[in-house]
């Protein structure tokens, strides 16, 4: 059944000028109704009372939680909310950090109004819009790799790493010591030939290891 009434949007953006322009654009027709929040804390406080069809989230939200941290909190809450990042960042850490944290799309600021409205429409209808440069980067990394070299426990640790858990968080969730966590992560890095958390997350996504 087709949705009746406008799609409900929630824009989380700390730049007042960008926030005002985006609200004006998104509310310019009858298809969308956009509510705005100036930081992650304000949005998270309002979240129990709202049910947005789509969240548009900046990454650089200050001075408190950033957009990726806010996404992790939403994910942990158990609510399955459609979230698209709207940001200036094109680096791998931001892109894969957002996707691993539950973002369903990734759009760059500077997207033309017509293309932005079309992307928002796609996202509301279940799509996963990405700016062309971001899409090319993601597609180029999503391929079936060699058989997974990790043990079952190492896969569990890697999954929690990709979910943004700290070493202490992994220790508590898997009921293992901190030194054991560090040993598993050392072996994961060695087996996957990576040297940082960002690299291991990117490799895990690229080769579908989790």
């Amino acid at each position: 059944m087709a949705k009746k009434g406008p799609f409900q949007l929630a824009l989380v953006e700390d730049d007042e000028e960008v926030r005002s322009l985006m609200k004006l654009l998104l509310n310019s027709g009858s298809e969308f109704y956009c509510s705005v929040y100036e930081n992650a804390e304000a949005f998270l406080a309002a979240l129990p009372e709202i049910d947005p069809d789509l969240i548009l989230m900046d990454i650089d939200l200050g001075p408190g939680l950033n957009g990726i941290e806010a996404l992790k909190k939403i994910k942990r809450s158990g609510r399955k909310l459609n979230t698209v990042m709207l940001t200036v960042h094109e680096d791998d850490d931001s892109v894969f950090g957002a996707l691993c944290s539950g973002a369903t799309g990734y759009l760059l600021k500077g997207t033309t109004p017509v293309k932005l409205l079309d992307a928002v429409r796609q996202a509301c209808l279940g799509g996963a819009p990405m700016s062309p440069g971001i899409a090319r980067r993601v597609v180029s990394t999503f391929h079936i790799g060699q058989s997974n070299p990790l043990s079952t426990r190492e896969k569990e640790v890697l999954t929690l790493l990709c979910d943004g858990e700290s070493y202490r968080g992994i220790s508590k969730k898997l009921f293992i010591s901190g030194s054991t966590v560090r040993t598993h992560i050392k072996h994961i890095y060695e087996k996957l030939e990576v040297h940082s958390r960002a690299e291991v997350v990117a490799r895990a996504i690229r080769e579908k290891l989790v």
Side-chain angles (χ1 to χ4, degrees), residues 76-134:
R76 288 175 189 144
S77 76
R79 290 186 67 179
K80 299 188 180 203
L81 296 173
N82 195 6
T83 305
V84 170
M85 307 311 287
L86 183 61
T87 180
V88 297
H89 294 291
E90 302 181 58
D91 59 283
D92 284 349
D93 281 1
S94 296
V95 173
F96 290 109
L99 296 177
C100 286
S101 298
T104 54
Y106 200 102
L107 300 172
L108 295 176
K109 290 180 178 177
T111 302
T112 65
V114 171
K115 289 184 177 178
L116 180 61
L117 289 172
D118 184 56
V120 170
R121 186 179 302 111
Q122 288 179 41
C124 288
L125 295 173
M130 293 189 188
S131 294
I134 301 299

Side-chain angles (χ1 to χ4, degrees), residues 125-147:
L125 295 173
M130 293 189 188
S131 294
I134 301 299
R136 284 193 294 271
R137 176 173 297 167
V138 172
V139 169
S140 70
T141 60
F142 273 78
H143 62 80
I144 302 295
Q146 59 186 356
S147 58

Side-chain angles (χ1 to χ4, degrees), residues 34 100 181:
C34 181
C100 286
V181 171

Side-chain angles (χ1 to χ4, degrees), residues 25-187:
L25 172 65
L26 294 167
N27 286 339
S28 60
S30 60
E31 190 171 10
F32 309 115
Y33 178 78
C34 181
S35 299
V36 297
Y37 303 88
E38 64 182 17
N39 55 50
E41 288 77 8
F43 172 70
L44 292 171
L47 193 53
E49 307 300 325
I50 62 175
D51 187 24
D53 296 297
L54 178 67
I55 303 164
L56 292 167
M57 180 92 70
D58 189 13
I59 288 180
D60 282 333
L61 297 170
L65 296 173
N66 65 37
I68 292 176
E69 291 167 340
L71 265 179
K72 291 174 182 176
K73 283 187 171 289
I74 295 169
K75 186 175 181 181
R76 288 175 189 144
S77 76
R79 290 186 67 179
K80 299 188 180 203
L81 296 173
N82 195 6
T83 305
V84 170
M85 307 311 287
L86 183 61
T87 180
V88 297
H89 294 291
E90 302 181 58
D91 59 283
D92 284 349
D93 281 1
S94 296
V95 173
F96 290 109
L99 296 177
C100 286
S101 298
T104 54
Y106 200 102
L107 300 172
L108 295 176
K109 290 180 178 177
T111 302
T112 65
V114 171
K115 289 184 177 178
L116 180 61
L117 289 172
D118 184 56
V120 170
R121 186 179 302 111
Q122 288 179 41
C124 288
L125 295 173
M130 293 189 188
S131 294
I134 301 299
R136 284 193 294 271
R137 176 173 297 167
V138 172
V139 169
S140 70
T141 60
F142 273 78
H143 62 80
I144 302 295
Q146 59 186 356
S147 58
N148 195 330
L150 304 181
S151 68
T152 299
R153 178 61 91 187
E154 287 166 351
K155 291 176 189 175
E156 292 173 342
V157 172
L158 179 57
T159 297
L160 292 172
L161 273 180
C162 289
D163 283 342
E165 286 290 346
S166 65
Y167 286 20
R168 180 177 295 181
I170 294 171
S171 174
K172 287 182 178 179
K173 289 200 171 185
L174 297 182
F175 303 101
I176 55 179
S177 69
S179 62
T180 301
V181 171
R182 288 190 289 274
T183 298
H184 283 313
I185 291 175
K186 178 176 180 289
H187 291 161

